[in-house]
Amino acid sequence: MKEMNRSREAVARFRLIRNCMFLSGLSVFAQLYLFQPMLSEMCRNFGVSPAESSLSVSASTAGMALGLIIMAFKADSVSRERLMGASLLLSSLLTIVSAFTDSYSLLLALNLLKGMVLAGVSSVALAYLSEEVDKAMIGLAISLYLSGNTLGGMSGRVAATLMSGWGGWQSAVWLIGIVSLLLGGLFCWKIPAGKNFSAVSVPFREKLRQMRFLLTRSTFLSMYLIAALSMGIFVSIYNYLSFLLEAPPFSLPHHWVALIFTMYVAGIIGSVVAGGLSDKYSPEMLLQGTLGLMGVGMALLLWMQLWAIVLGLGLMTFAFFGTHTLASRIVSVHAGQMKSSATSIYWLFYYAGSSLVGSFSGIVLSHYGWGSFMEFLFVLLAVAWIISLSVLWLFKGKKKVYVWIARK
């Protein structure tokens, strides 16, 4: 009877963790990318170019990258659940405040600060899951967390597109800020305290040695580069696809463009499918397949037919989130005692790729058009696929877990 009660408690705790982490993903990504579908409106309201308008997104992701650098050194000294809860609440308040500014420079500064605050969630979320969830369920747990990210990104983009079309961009930002504040409050109320982690202050030099170790191991460095390149491709396409669809020959109204972002549903499916398969098969081998499928979806985006663009976007989204799930699993599982440092660096590369590639690709699009824009992204994808080949060779079907021995 006692064993049965413990089993029920463990199942209930897993469900609570799963649901809370899902909510955190909803909030983080709804806030982080809410300006992405409103870039054309940023151009009209603030008199900026398409490349400059993308800074409203890149400022948030650049802030996330900066915050992750800080969190890589400080995350282990704070309770995981308290850090995530505080980050969700404070970022929501910053989002609400940004709805009342009429200065583009101030808006960018607020987005930068918001991204830095949200790093408190991303820096420890995967570490928390890896520590608190049974190993046999890690793939599923990570995929569900990333599904929350995906659904948050989709709902934020769709809501922002519709609300900005009907009531202006400020209304969209205000609404997402309020909803995120409610989600943050619910997260703080329900998240279970960690049982397998004790906050400890790690010396600065020790953290530097850990990070140097992680950045010089091909296993981790390969995943970091794949994360940066694939995320840069993904964000670039979603950043600028609305410009293509709103212009001739498509000339779609804003509410039809909003429906394009429902393709994020394909990303939820991609995360769950990849997570489930990675519990049974080699994630390093599956990574090859998801990157290849990204290329198929991107090829369809060159076919100037609406059905082909929708299908290509769905395939690319499915494959990207599969890639992200697999890469983040490889990092978190093989990091051993360095989970928070390893995942912080992973997210740092992820958001750095989003900021740098997302902005630079806009310059390519502005000067050379959609065809050259896609060619540039294909080159990045080819590099990521070549890197994945080296990872497959490195592992050769074997599992590694790096053991970090602290040095005084």
Side-chain angles (χ1 to χ4, degrees):
M1 183 65 106
K2 289 182 179 179
E3 290 296 326
M4 188 178 295
N5 288 335
R6 286 197 200 98
S7 178
R8 287 175 180 171
E9 288 175 4
V11 170
R13 188 170 186 272
F14 169 76
R15 288 176 178 169
L16 200 55
I17 290 173
R18 175 196 67 189
N19 294 339
C20 286
M21 297 308 295
F22 183 82
L23 291 179
S24 74
L26 281 175
S27 177
V28 169
F29 272 68
Q31 293 183 77
L32 200 61
Y33 290 105
L34 70 92
F35 284 96
Q36 192 174 55
M38 301 189 293
L39 295 187
S40 57
E41 187 166 347
M42 294 294 103
C43 293
R44 291 190 294 269
N45 279 271
F46 293 101
V48 295
S49 69
E52 290 171 326
S53 72
S54 72
L55 293 176
S56 59
V57 179
S58 296
S60 297
T61 54
M64 177 72 84
L66 289 173
L68 285 166
I69 295 173
I70 298 170
M71 286 295 114
F73 292 95
K74 296 295 183 182
D76 286 334
S77 62
V78 184
S79 161
R80 306 277 200 222
E81 61 276 7
R82 289 181 182 176
L83 176 59
M84 290 188 285
S87 297
L88 291 172
L89 294 176
L90 182 55
S91 63
S92 302
L93 294 174
L94 288 169
T95 297
I96 293 170
V97 169
S98 68
F100 298 97
T101 180
D102 55 2
S103 165
Y104 193 60
S105 297
L106 180 57
L107 179 66
L108 295 182
L110 287 169
N111 284 354
L112 180 73
L113 183 58
K114 177 178 67 179
M116 293 178 68
V117 171
L118 285 171
V121 179
S122 295
S123 63
V124 298
L126 292 177
Y128 176 83
L129 286 173
S130 298
E131 291 158 357
E132 305 302 325
V133 174
D134 186 85
K135 288 183 179 179
M137 302 291 287
I138 285 177
L140 177 61
I142 290 176
S143 68
L144 290 172
Y145 165 65
L146 296 180
S147 295
N149 293 352
T150 309
L151 185 59
M154 181 191 75
S155 57
R157 287 164 170 89
V158 172
T161 305
L162 295 176
M163 285 298 297
S164 64
W166 294 327
W169 69 270
Q170 290 96 336
S171 299
V173 175
W174 183 85
L175 174 65
I176 290 173
I178 292 295
V179 172
S180 296
L181 186 61
L182 295 174
L183 291 176
L186 186 58
F187 176 92
C188 293
W189 180 31
K190 292 291 186 180
I191 186 71
K195 292 182 177 180
N196 302 310
F197 170 77
S198 297
V200 59
S201 181
V202 180
F204 181 78
R205 289 184 179 180
E206 186 67 18
K207 271 292 184 180
L208 278 180
R209 281 196 290 263
Q210 285 188 19
M211 296 179 81
R212 188 182 304 118
F213 177 88
L214 292 165
L215 288 169
T216 54
R217 292 301 181 274
S218 54
T219 301
F220 297 106
L221 185 58
S222 298
M223 292 303 104
Y224 298 153
L225 293 174
I226 288 173
L229 293 168
S230 61
M231 180 56 168
I233 292 166
F234 176 78
V235 165
S236 295
I237 290 171
Y238 271 96
N239 270 0
Y240 304 112
L241 186 61
S242 59
F243 289 98
L244 178 71
L245 296 176
E246 290 175 359
F250 303 109
S251 302
L252 296 181
H254 79 276
H255 52 275
W256 282 109
V257 173
L259 293 178
I260 294 297
F261 291 100
T262 60
M263 281 295 114
Y264 263 56
V265 172
I268 297 173
I269 299 170
S271 290
V272 174
V273 169
L277 289 175
S278 69
D279 285 331
K280 300 177 182 179
Y281 306 104
S282 165
E284 296 79 28
M285 187 171 292
L286 293 171
L287 191 62
Q288 291 254 292
T290 56
L291 287 169
L293 189 57
M294 275 188 74
V296 174
M298 290 166 61
L300 286 170
L301 295 178
L302 288 169
W303 196 347
M304 290 295 104
Q305 296 290 328
L306 188 58
W307 68 267
I309 289 175
V310 172
L311 176 60
L313 188 65
L315 286 174
M316 189 276 300
T317 304
F318 175 93
F320 164 73
F321 279 100
T323 297
H324 178 32
T325 300
L326 295 168
S328 58
R329 179 202 167 106
I330 291 169
V331 169
S332 62
V333 167
H334 295 287
Q337 303 97 318
M338 301 174 287
K339 283 184 173 63
S340 65
S341 295
T343 55
S344 289
I345 298 173
Y346 176 86
W347 289 111
L348 170 61
F349 274 76
Y350 182 86
Y351 289 113
S354 172
S355 300
L356 298 175
V357 178
S359 293
F360 184 76
S361 61
I363 297 172
V364 175
L365 177 65
S366 297
H367 287 81
Y368 303 106
W370 184 259
S372 296
F373 167 79
M374 290 303 300
E375 288 172 2
F376 169 68
L377 298 183
F378 270 115
V379 171
L380 300 184
L381 182 66
V383 173
W385 193 80
I386 291 169
I387 293 171
S388 73
L389 275 179
S390 69
V391 174
L392 190 61
W393 175 84
L394 173 69
F395 277 84
K396 294 181 180 178
K398 296 179 181 179
K399 298 294 181 186
K400 287 184 181 179
V401 175
Y402 287 97
V403 177
W404 173 255
I405 300 174
R407 285 170 286 182
K408 293 182 180 180

